[in-house]
Amino acid sequence: MEVLFMGLREKLELLGVSRRDFLKFCTAVSATLALPPAMAPKVAEALEDDNRPAVIWLEFQSCSGDSESLLRSGRPKAADLVLDVISLDYAEVLMAAAGHQAEQAKHDSMEKNKGKYVLIVEGSIPVEDDGIYCCIAGDTALNQLKKAAAGAAMVIAVGNCASFGGIPAAYPNPTGAKGVADLVSGVPVVNLPGCPMNCDNLTALIVHYLIFGTLPALDNQLRPKFAHGKRIHDNCERRGHFDAGQYVEKWGDEAHRQGWCLYKMGCKGPQTWHNCPTLRWNDGLSWPVMAGHGCVGCSEPGFIDTMSPFYRRLPEVPGFGVESSATSVGLKLVGVATAFFAVHGVVSIIRNRGTVKKVEEEYYEKEEK
Amino acid sequence: MADRIVVDPITRIEGHLRIEAKVENGVITDAWSSSTMFRGIEKILQGRDPRDAWYITQRFCGVCTTVHSIASIRAVENAVGMKVPFNAEMIRNVIMGMQYVQDHVIHFYHLHALDWVDIVSALSADPVKTAALQESISDWKYSSADYFKGIQDRLAAFAKTGRLGPFGNAYWGHPAYKLPPEANLMAASHYLQALEVQKEIIKVHAILGSKNPHPQTFLTGGMSIPCDPNSQNAINADKIAMIMECNKTAREFVEKVYIPDIIAVAPFYLDWAGIGKTSGNYMSYGEFPDGREGHPNNLWLPAGIIKNGDLSTVHPVDHTKITEDVVHSWYEDTGPRHPWEGATDKKYIGPKPPYDYLDVEQKYSFVKSPRYEGAPMEVGPLSRMLVAYASGHKEVQDVVNHVLTTLGVGPEVLFSTLGRTAARAVETLIVARKMESWLMALAANINTGDYAIHDNSKWDPSTWPVQAQGYGWHEAPRGALGHWIVIQNKEIKNYQAVVPSTWNAAPRDDKGVRSPYEEALIGTPIADPEKPLEILRTIHSYDPCLACAVHVYDEKNELKSKVKIL
């Protein structure tokens, strides 16, 4: 279980980042982010000594859902974010330039801001057949990623696909799709999974730099603890109903209308580490459980294989009980899925074929020895 | 080969699209459309619970983020015979309607406008004259000279940094930009306003579906957001009031900004009413069930096909006449096949990256070539509006005629790049005006004491037949979308999607006939081959969505024997 409680430092070492590289990175980040401590409310002031971090946003096997999520930013608002807070030098969804002019803009920014720019990656990267399943400007996603990561101060993988491979990497992973951290070394990677990532977590990450001048603490999956430090289940507004044994049995029944617990409808909240219940979405308006649908665990490694079928209830979560027992059971479930992912890199077998279960059992046996 | 110009990536779209075009004497004489990304989601679906398919297929695309969910649940409902309650149909209408409005607003202002609007030119505009221009086109609240001065100062401060971010290295100053500086400044301010508006109005999806992008509220057989006016955890008067506010904001922006902008800008670009024509085949599956019988009955926007630009006849649509061909797609050859019989083994025979040109004589795209009775079809807002117009749809006829009269042109201008862009605006207006009626129909039905949102009788897969197949149609903002599913032993045996951008962005078919993007580019003038702004105009007029278009992967052709066609 040790791998689960590894610190950032050790995790980076595991990824091949030396202590020296890490210190270099810290210096670069401090320089890049030496912005006014508050969020620069006045445009002119902020632009006067313009040191907005250069941001390169690459899309690979994506659906653009994370780019769209960026456009839903509420703090700062999308227009302020793009004009005043960052210099978004390359982003296929938004940029005016196209074709070789777009590629030139990217090249220029990478040269000019070498070692200082923030690379954001959306979508998984296919590696099968030399990576030909995703080509942009005539070159593979794999090559594009390696080139861009080499000069970056850090890489932020947004969405589950860039973080862990996501849906393209689900069984049978037809294109050999992988997440960023599996392919990039020598530069720190932060994962912001979720399907899509919640933009408020991305802006919070940026604000964290601006205010504290450092990377936030990360968990063993390279996710910021401020966003992924607690399970959905821990903060769920319906937790009281779970503890009281009050469950929705059918869509639209009295219990469903009164907002009882969705555990029996397949909610994966007890297995999922994400701040949806507290942060919520679209300016804090709602989140899946609040709208009557269970959590599907979209911020976890191995999603969707470890989380489907979505409407089948989790095994072994007690119907009611005190805080400690629910927490320990939840930890047990989460522990197996994530530890398996951390050790083996990928869960490529779906649960409903019985193989993940088998792996979990083997894992338990090994742990017991 | 070297006489071809290449635009890759085509930016301001969803997904990865590459256009190669042959230019002779300043005019495009041939063109090839290619998608260069592939995920294989349909293969990933095999063996899974059909009730999960909506969630997975929703990830075909994060821009038109509701559409595959809708098509998918309809396909499963069709296959196993679920009956969707009226409340759920109305909730779906409200969600789909807002998807249209928000998606079209984003498309016009953030993905398409910069093809027509020169932001740099806005810096030299006179804010007083800009205010006069704004006041002359509508009574929109942001119209003072001070307001425009503020926007101009902000843009100037931004430009002064020399770091233009997403506006860097574009085609500013290109001779094809025709708007005066004041119109450019007005449009630039609307660009920024629309960024805020789209975020606000899409909150309807969060209220009804927890979040956007990728709302999480769809269920085969209904919806997961409950209705109960006396509960704080269900659709109640408060939530209806919130949706009404969003609808109001949406409608106001469309009426006072989007439509007036189109009417103000179009006269400068009337030559684009003669550019971008396709073969004249337009198809719509129809959308928005407007009665108690539910989808696919009583569709507010009608289904139909127009052939060869002949608006006098609307032909019915029959899904058995749809085939897909892969002669120029990176899959093993099978000949044209109906989606249920679709067999697609990936077969990349393109150049080894990094490459300069594709081998367009061979296979050159991951998109297949769909055909209806062997002919290419254009799909999208223009197709919907033409089918509705030709079918005698009053709201559509009124708005289209109003726009045409205002511009002093005839309906023939609709068959063009400009027509495509105008039709999208027309559609946004009539949908924005219609949304309230679906919300009120929902409220009225809840008021009768009917809180049903789901058909529980067929939820448990043990109630399904061992073998079932179905299809689900949805008119997505980008056009006709169809999902085809085969279920065996409660699991997905085969899944195929033929999406709008498959119809429009496809490569040539087995007979060498071009698909809409390729056809529309023929005859487009290119002022400067180094800066092919004109290609972006026509391609963007379709609102490309490429990740949707490429997802097909069916390793074993297990269904080639006989699949019963409904």
Side-chain angles (χ1 to χ4, degrees), chain A residues 63 80 92 97 101 135 257, chain B residues 11-12 36 62 154 169 231 346:
Chain A
C63 70
D80 300 342
E92 279 190 63
Q101 280 92 354
C135 287
R257 298 202 302 277
Chain B
T11 50
R12 283 180 279 129
T36 51
R154 185 179 193 185
N169 216 28
S231 167
K346 64 182 176 179

Side-chain angles (χ1 to χ4, degrees), chain A residues 52 59-61 63 71-72 80 84 88 92 96-97 99 101 128 133 135 174 195 256-257 283 294 305, chain B residues 9 11-12 14 16 36 38 48 59 62 154 163 166 169 198-199 203 211-212 216 224 231 346 530:
Chain A
R52 294 168 292 157
E59 271 193 70
F60 298 129
Q61 282 178 308
C63 70
L71 297 182
R72 309 291 182 270
D80 300 342
D84 309 336
L88 191 58
E92 279 190 63
Q101 280 92 354
E128 199 176 297
Y133 297 109
C135 287
C195 193
H256 189 223
R257 298 202 302 277
D283 291 337
D305 290 342
Chain B
T11 50
R12 283 180 279 129
E14 196 289 323
H16 303 293
T36 51
F38 168 78
R48 295 184 192 264
R59 273 69 187 165
R154 185 179 193 185
R163 299 174 67 204
N169 216 28
Q198 59 85 20
K199 171 177 88 76
K203 286 178 177 170
K211 65 190 173 86
N212 176 286
Q216 195 160 317
S224 76
S231 167
K346 64 182 176 179
E530 269 300 296

